[in-house]
Amino acid sequence: MPRKTLEDKKKVSLLPPPRSRKMSHLFLLCLLLSFLNFAASQDDVVMQALKSSLNLTSDVDWSNPNPCKWVTVQCDGSSRVTGIQLKQKGIRGTLPPNLQNLSELVILELFSNRISGPIPDLSGLTNLQTLNLHDNLFISTPENLFSGMNSLEEVYLDDNPFPSWEIPETVKEATSLKNLSLVNCNLTGSIPDFFSSETLPSLASLNLSRNNLHGGLPSSFANSSLQQLYLNGQKLNGSISVLQNMTSLVEVDLQGNAFSGPIPDLSGLQSLRLFNVRENQLTGVVPPSFTGLKSLTVVNLTNNLFQGPTPLFQKSVSVDAVAKTNSFCLDTAGVPCDPRVDTLLSIAESFNYPMKLAMSWKGNDPCDSWLGITCSPSNITVINLARQKLIGTISPSFAKLTSLETIFLYSNQLTGRIPTELTTLPKLRILDVSNNYIFDCDVPKFSASVKVLTSGGGRCGKSFGDIVKIILPVLVGALCLVGLGVCLYAKKRRRRPAKVQSPNTNMVIHPHHSGDSDAIELAVAAESSYSHSGSTNSDIHVVESGNLVIPIQVLRSVTNNFSEENILGTGGFGVVYKGELNDGTKIAVKRMESSASVVSDKGLAEFKSEIDVLTKMRHRHLVALLGYCLDGNERLLVYEYMPRGTLSQHLFHWKEEERKPLDWTRRLAIALDVARGVEYLHTFAHQSFIHRDLKPSNILLGDDMRAKVADFGLVRLAPEGNYSIETRVAGTFGYLAPEYAVTGRVTTMVDIYSLGVILMELVTGRKALDVTQREDSVHLVTWFRRVAASKVRDENAFKNAIDPNIKLDEETLASVEKVWELAGYCCAREPYQRPDMSHIVNVLSSLTVQWKPTDVEPDDLNGIDYDFPLPQAVKNWQASEGLSQTGDDSGSSSSGLWK
Ligand SMILES: *[C@@H]1O[C@H](CO)[C@@H](O)[C@H](O)[C@H]1NC(C)=O
Ligand SMILES: *[C@@H]1O[C@H](CO)[C@@H](O)[C@H](O)[C@H]1NC(C)=O
Ligand SMILES: *[C@@H]1O[C@H](CO)[C@@H](O)[C@H](O)[C@H]1NC(C)=O
Ligand SMILES: *[C@@H]1O[C@H](CO)[C@@H](O)[C@H](O)[C@H]1NC(C)=O
Ligand SMILES: *[C@@H]1O[C@H](CO)[C@@H](O)[C@H](O)[C@H]1NC(C)=O
Ligand SMILES: *[C@@H]1O[C@H](CO)[C@@H](O)[C@H](O)[C@H]1NC(C)=O
Ligand SMILES: *[C@@H]1O[C@H](CO)[C@@H](O)[C@H](O)[C@H]1NC(C)=O
Ligand SMILES: *[C@@H]1O[C@H](CO)[C@@H](O)[C@H](O)[C@H]1NC(C)=O
């Protein structure tokens, strides 16, 4: 059509009126215009496509050949389309896919029609400011919704029959967004955590009403400047405490969700006019900081579990019928409650107003069958809130109930301390707060007639008390996860000293069981004639610390619900996740595969007693096991996080990871650290604990590049009197001592052999098994022996075997040579030919001293962390296995040996 116009105009210009200059000017103008029209034709194509894909109603006149002349279409000076507004016409049809070619489009308003089909990709429309498509029959949104549309200010896609979808990340790219309205859009998933001023600085109105969103309010709301927040009619839950920081709010509508907990302090929300939280499960006293807000005009609190006095607002505020539909003490607004009610509510406040209490504690008489309250006859004598899943602290307000004789708060998840005020209760006889995370250490002094029970939960002092202190804020944050299951509490088990193993231990290999090398299982400490390692150092290095049960909610919360991004690696036990506590402290959480037979065929009690032993093994060069969780089929172990990864990363993958190769001094120091860690294992509490799977991917490095041995979970305490336990072969090809691989015979010499292989790796920079080598050199130990044998004749063969990344001078060479010899000695074919770990420590420390005297701390001589400073230790934690995702040496686990 436009082309035809052009032709017509040309014909006219061929017949110029001969006399009029004025006229010829007009012709020129016409020509110019026709060229402009031609230039606009790029939009014309799209507009014609739009016209034909829509079933326009008769009142919409789009008949002019020039789209800029169409009703409700606007163009700019160069005939580019800037606006299309076709609202409330009942128009049917679809939108053409090339709508995004209208690159000058500023406003697209097609709301309240019957347009169907997909909303096309609009991502090229960098000038678009308003997109209003609500109330149509669109069946999908483009995947890259709003991508690159950085002028977009207002978006309304409400009331379209989309299939269920989630708010996409690309919304973040619409950085000018002011109003976003996706009401009744079939949205699922949770509210993404990017609605903050940093990401969307102009966002003032967010309307997500009537969708299927679930989860909590994202914390980034705290940092937003939202004025209108409509989230009514979904499945949202959790606390609404983030509202406290949303000081720009004018209207907030959370009606018809499952929010819980109290109304936070809203005194900072000086512009708040509308507050609708009806039909939720909110609890607690409606705070005066809220009722006093001058800006309020409409408040809806119906159908919640609010407690305390019925709130009294200013006359100017219209409030819905709050009384009777909540748990207020009295129906008349502003009338105070019975003082006992106030006191009990302040006790409930320190538990964050649990729903269970809010459902029962209603009315003005606590003696009228309130949960956990016993009266005599109208004085409260007993408060029994044991096993109520309470989270929080013990309120000093208990002290106001002077008639109290009994307080039971055991088996909850309470933290903090017993308030000193409670010692003033004149009639108190028994206070049981056991099985919580209450600090045992500074229980205030009660009179002798009061029985105070505190045992069983958190511990005080320098070890586990501190981790509790760190973890518990997270625990409180994990409130919303309550219901996902509560971990079992480990009964504290007393460990009896195990007997030394008989030398004639009869060991059998069960090929079908050998795949279970990931089990925490027994390394029979066969103290045979040749394995009296470490008998010189036989102090009992048991750190009496007890074990820490960490609720699964905490572990879910800190690992972002075991999200893939948090995976550190996959090891023998299962997957290791990185977790971050509230204060930024990192931990490593090992989630044992529930299919692993260790879980099914091992009794809970046995598992717990093994863990109990493992948590007691504390040494500067062992990765500490700090806690665990048993929940249903879940078995989780919590370890310290080691920030520098595994030795294998540093030794074999330093190039990929853009690190420097380890220098010789470092290698020596690491070897010594490992030897010391294993020496401790071999001499732990008069017994020999055998690691059985020493390898570079089980050696983790801290910030100071000092090494710790991980995954000594393969070690377990021998059950007393059971000497004929079969031994399954654990370990990894390339590191397995020959006698162990062949007979399954386990002695400390198995670890010596593996350490020998590691020493060879440190010297040569080659992996224990290196399939890239010539066939006769794949196995490091075999190749090493060959080179060692020719060394006498050919000094160059030895020098060529040394890792070229080690800078060799005369001194280094001498030191390397010593370690080379030691390595060969450790990997002797016969176990009795191998040295003790104490000998290895001596050799390595003499070399280390020679090389770097400052590396040896005085207490390193002994190496036991008697007062393991936990908070600090927690800071340097690391997954104890499987960090080498490249799968260098972990892929060849012996489990394949027998299959
Ligand atoms: C468009 O209108 C024509 C006739 O008016 C009709 O045949 C066709 O089905 C309509 N298309 C849609 C998508 O409504
Ligand atoms: C839309 O724009 C693209 C590139 O800018 C071009 O290749 C395409 O031909 C245009 N389509 C129409 C229908 O104008
Ligand atoms: C929401 O999406 C689901 C699945 O895509 C669909 O079955 C359902 O009909 C949609 N609901 C509405 C109201 O469109
Ligand atoms: C857009 O947001 C502003 C600011 O919150 C608000 O005043 C206005 O009513 C919103 N517009 C619509 C159509 O919701
Ligand atoms: C949000 O959507 C609801 C419909 O559920 C409507 O009543 C309310 O006015 C909307 N709010 C804004 C600010 O547009
Ligand atoms: C919210 O406000 C409180 C004090 O009003 C402050 O302590 C807290 O850090 C704020 N939180 C965020 C996420 O801004
Ligand atoms: C909220 O309360 C006001 C005042 O009683 C009432 O007019 C309004 O209908 C209520 N809104 C809802 C959604 O119930
Ligand atoms: C209830 O407590 C009050 C004050 O402590 C006391 O005077 C009264 O005797 C108590 N009554 C009973 C039945 O214990």
Side-chain angles (χ1 to χ4, degrees):
M1 288 308 240
R3 228 148 289 241
K4 195 174 168 211
T5 321
L6 192 71
E7 292 301 303
D8 292 347
K9 281 175 184 165
K10 270 182 186 160
K11 270 178 207 150
V12 174
S13 68
L14 284 173
L15 301 165
R19 285 167 300 158
S20 174
R21 277 184 67 106
K22 218 177 176 182
M23 284 296 267
S24 71
H25 277 292
L26 254 175
F27 290 135
L28 278 176
L29 195 67
C30 281
L31 259 175
L32 195 66
L33 275 174
S34 62
F35 278 116
L36 279 177
N37 264 350
F38 185 71
S41 68
Q42 57 171 306
D43 280 356
D44 291 357
V45 174
V46 182
M47 290 306 284
Q48 292 300 337
L50 176 64
K51 183 180 160 185
S52 56
S53 72
L54 289 177
N55 256 14
L56 294 172
T57 45
S58 55
D59 61 335
V60 181
D61 180 9
W62 278 17
S63 54
N64 193 299
N66 179 359
C68 291
K69 301 251 169 70
W70 294 354
V71 289
T72 69
V73 172
Q74 295 93 45
C75 291
D76 62 10
S78 38
S79 295
R80 297 297 311 272
V81 174
T82 55
I84 303 171
Q85 287 163 296
L86 277 179
K87 46 196 179 191
Q88 296 156 319
K89 299 282 187 195
I91 294 168
R92 292 174 186 274
T94 58
L95 295 183
N98 53 8
L99 211 54
Q100 71 187 137
N101 281 35
L102 299 175
S103 54
E104 297 300 319
L105 200 60
V106 176
I107 175 164
L108 180 61
E109 266 185 359
L110 303 170
F111 62 86
S112 300
N113 285 298
R114 315 278 299 157
I115 305 170
S116 55
I119 294 178
D121 185 359
L122 302 172
S123 57
L125 300 181
T126 52
N127 293 306
L128 195 67
Q129 290 173 13
T130 304
L131 177 65
N132 193 339
L133 303 178
H134 74 78
D135 195 11
N136 272 292
L137 297 169
F138 288 112
I139 56 156
S140 67
T141 53
E143 222 160 84
N144 52 353
L145 191 70
F146 314 155
S147 176
M149 297 169 74
N150 53 17
S151 302
L152 201 56
E153 293 178 4
E154 297 183 60
V155 174
Y156 311 93
L157 302 180
D158 325 50
D159 300 307
N160 275 294
F162 299 126
S164 68
W165 61 302
E166 293 189 23
I167 300 173
E169 283 279 304
T170 46
V171 169
K172 284 198 286 199
E173 296 177 37
T175 48
S176 304
L177 213 51
K178 291 179 180 157
N179 295 42
L180 175 61
S181 193
L182 302 172
V183 176
N184 188 25
C185 275
N186 214 355
L187 283 172
T188 58
S190 53
I191 303 175
D193 204 10
F194 54 63
F195 291 112
S196 72
S197 308
E198 277 146 32
T199 315
L200 298 171
S202 313
L203 192 68
S205 176
L206 181 63
N207 201 341
L208 304 175
S209 304
R210 296 191 281 126
N211 283 294
N212 293 314
L213 295 170
H214 54 77
L217 298 178
S219 55
S220 57
F221 272 166
N223 193 16
S224 76
S225 40
L226 278 172
Q227 294 167 22
Q228 294 170 315
L229 179 62
Y230 281 75
L231 300 173
N232 47 303
Q234 341 237 354
K235 297 168 185 157
L236 297 167
N237 59 15
S239 151
I240 62 167
S241 61
V242 71
L243 294 182
Q244 175 172 359
N245 298 53
M246 301 177 71
T247 50
S248 309
L249 272 182
V250 178
E251 298 173 6
V252 58
D253 187 344
L254 306 178
Q255 181 178 343
N257 281 289
F259 289 110
S260 56
I263 297 178
D265 177 359
L266 298 180
S267 55
L269 280 64
Q270 293 294 327
S271 311
L272 190 65
R273 281 205 301 260
L274 168 80
F275 185 83
N276 181 357
V277 293
R278 61 180 291 170
E279 287 141 33
N280 278 284
Q281 291 156 9
L282 296 170
T283 56
V285 177
V286 176
S289 61
F290 171 60
T291 52
L293 279 179
K294 298 220 162 53
S295 51
L296 284 176
T297 56
V298 181
V299 172
N300 304 64
L301 304 175
T302 310
N303 286 331
N304 278 285
L305 296 164
F306 289 118
Q307 299 156 283
T310 297
L312 180 62
F313 291 88
Q314 277 151 329
K315 285 212 180 65
S316 54
V317 185
S318 57
V319 188
D320 57 356
V322 281
K324 303 253 195 266
T325 65
N326 277 290
S327 298
F328 295 121
C329 62
L330 294 163
D331 289 348
T332 318
V335 178
C337 307
D338 183 294
R340 295 169 306 164
V341 172
D342 287 337
T343 302
L344 286 171
L345 288 179
S346 83
I347 287 170
E349 182 182 12
S350 69
F351 305 143
N352 204 33
Y353 294 116
M355 209 185 299
K356 209 165 172 185
L357 294 188
M359 289 193 293
S360 163
W361 290 12
K362 29 172 100 167
N364 208 24
D365 182 8
C367 297
D368 180 15
S369 62
W370 280 24
L371 177 71
I373 308 296
T374 306
C375 300
S376 172
S378 61
N379 288 346
I380 299 172
T381 53
V382 178
I383 294 184
N384 179 358
L385 295 175
R387 295 201 188 90
Q388 296 294 334
K389 298 182 178 163
L390 300 177
I391 294 180
T393 58
I394 301 173
S395 168
S397 297
F398 275 100
K400 292 186 197 152
L401 299 170
T402 50
S403 51
L404 268 178
E405 293 163 14
T406 304
I407 302 175
F408 284 159
L409 295 172
Y410 57 85
S411 297
N412 284 295
Q413 295 177 13
L414 301 175
T415 54
R417 302 182 150 74
I418 299 174
T420 318
E421 288 84 347
L422 270 60
T423 59
T424 64
L425 282 169
K427 297 187 170 167
L428 191 65
R429 288 294 157 266
I430 180 161
L431 169 63
D432 188 347
V433 298
S434 57
N435 215 352
N436 278 290
Y437 300 101
I438 304 290
F439 292 103
D440 298 8
C441 35
D442 49 12
V443 172
K445 203 156 168 44
F446 284 86
S447 84
S449 55
V450 183
K451 190 171 180 195
V452 181
L453 297 165
T454 58
S455 59
R459 307 190 183 252
C460 63
K462 41 202 162 198
S463 54
F464 284 101
D466 289 319
I467 188 178
V468 166
K469 210 166 26 178
I470 295 162
I471 283 181
L472 278 152
V474 184
L475 204 156
V476 175
L479 223 172
C480 52
L481 291 167
V482 168
L484 285 175
V486 179
C487 281
L488 301 167
Y489 288 95
K491 230 165 68 191
K492 204 180 166 192
R493 281 186 136 246
R494 192 155 275 285
R495 199 173 56 78
R496 281 159 295 173
K499 287 177 193 157
V500 171
Q501 211 75 49
S502 142
N504 301 321
T505 301
N506 188 13
M507 280 168 276
V508 189
I509 299 171
H510 280 241
H512 298 297
H513 285 163
S514 59
D516 304 330
S517 60
D518 24 36
I520 289 192
E521 64 163 32
L522 174 67
V524 180
E527 291 285 272
S528 54
S529 53
Y530 45 74
S531 65
H532 283 290
S533 76
S535 50
T536 49
N537 194 0
S538 56
D539 317 29
I540 304 176
H541 307 317
V542 178
V543 181
E544 193 49 61
S545 52
N547 45 40
L548 177 68
V549 180
I550 302 172
I552 192 148
Q553 298 97 306
V554 172
L555 298 182
R556 280 191 205 281
S557 163
V558 301
T559 60
N560 196 8
N561 203 14
F562 301 112
S563 78
E564 237 163 77
E565 288 110 77
N566 286 43
I567 294 181
L568 283 170
T570 305
F573 279 119
V575 184
V576 183
Y577 296 84
K578 182 169 157 176
E580 187 158 339
L581 306 180
N582 261 4
D583 67 346
T585 304
K586 297 187 178 77
I587 56 170
V589 181
K590 225 186 263 194
R591 189 185 202 186
M592 295 161 87
E593 260 166 64
S594 52
S595 60
S597 76
V598 57
V599 173
S600 47
D601 72 13
K602 203 143 280 189
L604 214 59
E606 199 185 340
F607 182 90
K608 280 189 273 190
S609 71
E610 286 166 12
I611 298 291
D612 203 31
V613 176
L614 295 182
T615 56
K616 289 191 175 86
M617 293 185 163
R618 289 300 171 83
H619 189 275
R620 189 185 310 285
H621 300 302
L622 294 181
V623 176
L625 174 65
L626 289 198
Y628 70 97
C629 170
L630 308 174
D631 181 74
N633 271 341
E634 294 270 21
R635 301 282 190 278
L636 299 144
L637 302 177
V638 177
Y639 286 97
E640 62 178 308
Y641 174 79
M642 298 287 288
R644 292 290 187 96
T646 67
L647 174 59
S648 69
Q649 288 169 331
H650 289 266
L651 197 53
F652 306 127
H653 306 290
W654 53 272
K655 268 188 194 141
E656 292 107 278
E657 311 206 348
E658 291 172 3
R659 305 181 205 246
K660 281 200 198 117
L662 295 170
D663 62 32
W664 180 246
T665 319
R666 227 4 111 207
R667 294 181 200 216
L668 259 187
I670 289 168
L672 178 58
D673 292 348
V674 174
R676 284 191 165 136
V678 178
E679 183 190 31
Y680 169 82
L681 280 181
H682 285 183
T683 58
F684 180 76
H686 293 293
Q687 304 157 54
S688 284
F689 282 84
I690 299 164
H691 189 293
R692 301 211 291 174
D693 197 16
L694 278 178
K695 55 184 175 183
S697 60
N698 272 340
I699 293 164
L700 304 179
L701 300 172
D703 265 331
D704 53 0
M705 290 297 284
R706 300 304 299 262
K708 295 191 186 205
V709 175
D711 213 7
F712 48 95
L714 288 171
V715 180
R716 110 185 154 174
L717 190 63
E720 272 179 82
N722 185 356
Y723 299 134
S724 58
I725 258 200
E726 79 224 27
T727 304
R728 300 162 187 169
V729 173
T732 304
F733 278 147
Y735 302 89
L736 279 181
E739 78 282 4
Y740 179 37
V742 172
T743 67
R745 184 174 192 108
V746 184
T747 70
T748 51
M749 289 300 135
V750 162
D751 287 346
I752 306 291
Y753 184 95
S754 305
L755 183 64
V757 180
I758 295 168
L759 293 178
M760 290 179 186
E761 293 180 318
L762 287 168
V763 168
T764 63
R766 287 180 47 163
K767 295 181 194 170
L769 287 178
D770 186 352
V771 289
T772 65
Q773 299 289 337
R774 270 173 36 206
E775 183 147 9
D776 60 350
S777 306
V778 167
H779 185 221
L780 178 61
V781 177
T782 309
W783 172 77
F784 183 95
R785 284 188 185 134
R786 204 167 54 237
V787 175
S790 66
K791 183 170 175 268
V792 196
R793 286 169 279 119
D794 181 5
E795 186 64 21
N796 270 341
F798 161 63
K799 280 192 188 157
N800 290 339
I802 298 172
D803 186 345
N805 295 302
I806 299 173
K807 286 200 191 76
L808 284 181
D809 54 33
E810 217 171 278
E811 273 174 303
T812 316
L813 188 62
S815 171
V816 171
E817 198 161 6
K818 283 232 168 64
V819 175
W820 171 280
E821 276 165 20
L822 184 63
Y825 193 20
C826 291
C827 290
R829 280 196 184 83
E830 295 301 330
Y832 66 87
Q833 294 171 327
R834 299 176 204 151
D836 276 353
M837 200 52 91
S838 53
H839 175 82
I840 299 170
V841 168
N842 282 342
V843 173
L844 291 173
S845 63
S846 72
L847 293 171
T848 314
V849 169
Q850 184 184 323
W851 276 88
K852 209 178 178 184
T854 48
D855 248 356
V856 183
E857 295 98 335
D859 53 346
D860 238 352
L861 296 170
N862 181 310
I864 296 118
D865 279 353
Y866 284 109
D867 52 6
F868 198 67
L870 223 89
Q872 193 192 321
V874 169
K875 286 209 173 84
N876 301 324
W877 288 30
Q878 163 77 320
S880 58
E881 62 184 317
L883 285 154
S884 52
Q885 271 118 339
T886 43
D888 52 313
D889 42 11
S890 50
S892 50
S893 147
S894 66
S895 53
L897 181 58
W898 311 102
K899 283 190 171 157

